[in-house]
């Protein structure tokens, strides 16, 4: 198991996965973006024609289908579902929105929680950076360092729009709705852990945010990441 876990939570488009990957490259640690678990579940649910109101059917379906998924998240980053490689099809904002809807269901969170922990347990690297919404509060409450990433709504819409070739205005409402859903749900809502360090990336480039995070990690975990 990885000895050190850095937990990073934050809103849509704060730059979590891009920055964590950059930090991982500097430290030689893998970065795992747990949104991918929810996106994969949303893909499977959609593929089987179910909607989020059918929680019992979703539970049965996912309990069966998730056994066919292989998460190569600390190596190639790929996700295979049976003979298919899903990675590219999971990236769109509409898949993120579908994942957010599904992530409200207790059955889904219950099924995905042990899978997220398992990926880190079997990770042979010295440390791992894990990002999501409830990493510091639920998935790894004992994480060695907790970071809460924020950025202004406008900046986040601009970043996402350039990723998806969409107009920023077109994304603003979607991002706002997803933030509200992720923060407002009863189970494992997005919130800053009491002992998390806040990192505002509004005025930072990816390289600047990554450099700040590396400094935080080296400062908090002396010797872990030299
Ligand atoms: O980080 P992302 O955009 O890939 O996440 C997609 C959705 O998955 C997010 O809007 C809410 C859900 N999610 C979650 O509930 N808990 C996590 N740890 C990660 C993601």
């Amino acid at each position: 198991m990885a000895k050190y876990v850095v937990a990073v939570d934050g809103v849509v488009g704060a730059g979590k996965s891009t920055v964590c990957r950059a930090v991982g490259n500097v430290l030689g640690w893998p970065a795992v973006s747990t949104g991918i678990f929810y996106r994969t579940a949303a893909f499977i649910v959609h593929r089987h024609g179910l909607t989020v109101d059918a929680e019992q059917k979703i539970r049965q379906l996912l309990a069966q289908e998730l056994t066919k998924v292989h998460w190569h998240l600390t190596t190639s980053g790929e996700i295979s579902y049976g003979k298919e490689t899903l990675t590219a099809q999971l990236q769109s904002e509409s898949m993120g929105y579908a994942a957010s809807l599904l992530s409200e269901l207790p059955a889904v969170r219950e099924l995905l929680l042990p899978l997220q922990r398992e990926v880190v347990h079997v990770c042979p690297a010295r440390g791992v950076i894990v990002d999501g919404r409830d990493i510091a509060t639920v998935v790894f409450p004992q994480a060695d360092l907790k970071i809460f990433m924020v950025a202004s709504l406008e900046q986040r819409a601009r970043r996402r729009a350039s990723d998806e070739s969409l107009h920023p205005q077109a994304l603003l409402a979607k991002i706002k709705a997803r933030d509200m859903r992720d923060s407002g749900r009863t189970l494992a809502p997005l919130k800053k852990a009491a002992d998390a360090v806040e990192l505002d990336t509004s005025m930072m480039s990816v390289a600047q945010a990554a450099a700040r995070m590396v400094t935080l990690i080296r400062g908090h975990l002396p010797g872990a990441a030299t």
Side-chain angles (χ1 to χ4, degrees), residues 24-221:
N25 286 339
V26 173
L27 301 180
W29 293 4
V32 175
S33 195
T34 59
I36 213 71
F37 288 90
Y38 293 88
R39 288 170 184 255
T40 302
F43 175 89
I44 294 171
V45 167
H46 183 255
R47 162 73 59 87
H48 287 81
L50 295 181
T51 49
V52 284
D53 48 357
E55 186 170 359
Q56 273 321 310
K57 284 187 182 156
I58 288 175
R59 180 195 288 276
Q60 282 168 9
L61 174 75
L62 289 179
Q64 180 187 309
E65 294 301 301
L66 285 170
T67 61
K68 301 177 189 164
V69 179
H70 293 281
W71 323 88
H72 308 284
L73 297 177
T74 56
T75 49
S76 65
E78 283 197 347
I79 295 132
S80 56
Y81 173 39
K83 288 185 177 144
E84 274 178 273
T85 299
L86 296 187
T87 325
Q89 345 181 16
L90 302 177
Q91 301 308 325
S92 68
E93 180 51 34
S94 57
M95 197 51 87
Y97 193 77
S100 174
L101 282 176
L102 198 65
S103 73
E104 286 189 304
L105 301 184
V108 172
R109 301 203 77 83
E110 209 176 284
L111 285 165
L112 295 182
L113 182 61
L115 302 181
Q116 294 167 75
R117 289 183 175 150
E118 178 66 11
V119 164
V120 168
H121 270 285
V122 300
C123 173
R126 187 167 163 78
V128 58
I129 307 156
V130 189
D131 84 69
R133 302 295 186 290
D134 61 340
I135 306 306
T137 51
V138 176
V139 184
F140 294 109
Q142 311 298 336
D144 299 281
L145 171 63
K146 302 177 179 181
I147 297 174
F148 192 73
M149 274 176 85
V150 295
S152 73
L153 184 60
E154 291 68 27
Q155 195 56 256
R156 295 189 283 128
R158 217 167 292 142
R159 287 176 189 159
R160 278 285 151 117
S162 63
D163 283 353
E164 304 216 2
S165 324
L166 282 175
H167 193 279
Q169 286 304 325
L171 271 176
L172 260 175
K174 277 189 169 182
I175 289 181
K176 234 178 178 171
R178 187 138 79 93
D179 283 347
M180 279 176 64
R181 183 183 302 284
D182 293 346
S183 315
R185 67 180 177 228
T186 324
L187 203 59
L190 167 68
K191 66 171 180 211
K192 184 180 165 190
D195 49 350
V197 179
E198 187 165 309
L199 177 60
D200 186 338
T201 66
S202 305
M203 309 301 283
M204 292 182 184
S205 64
V206 170
Q208 286 169 327
R212 175 81 190 109
M213 205 187 276
V214 168
T215 304
L216 278 173
I217 294 172
R218 289 192 170 135
H220 279 74
L221 308 174

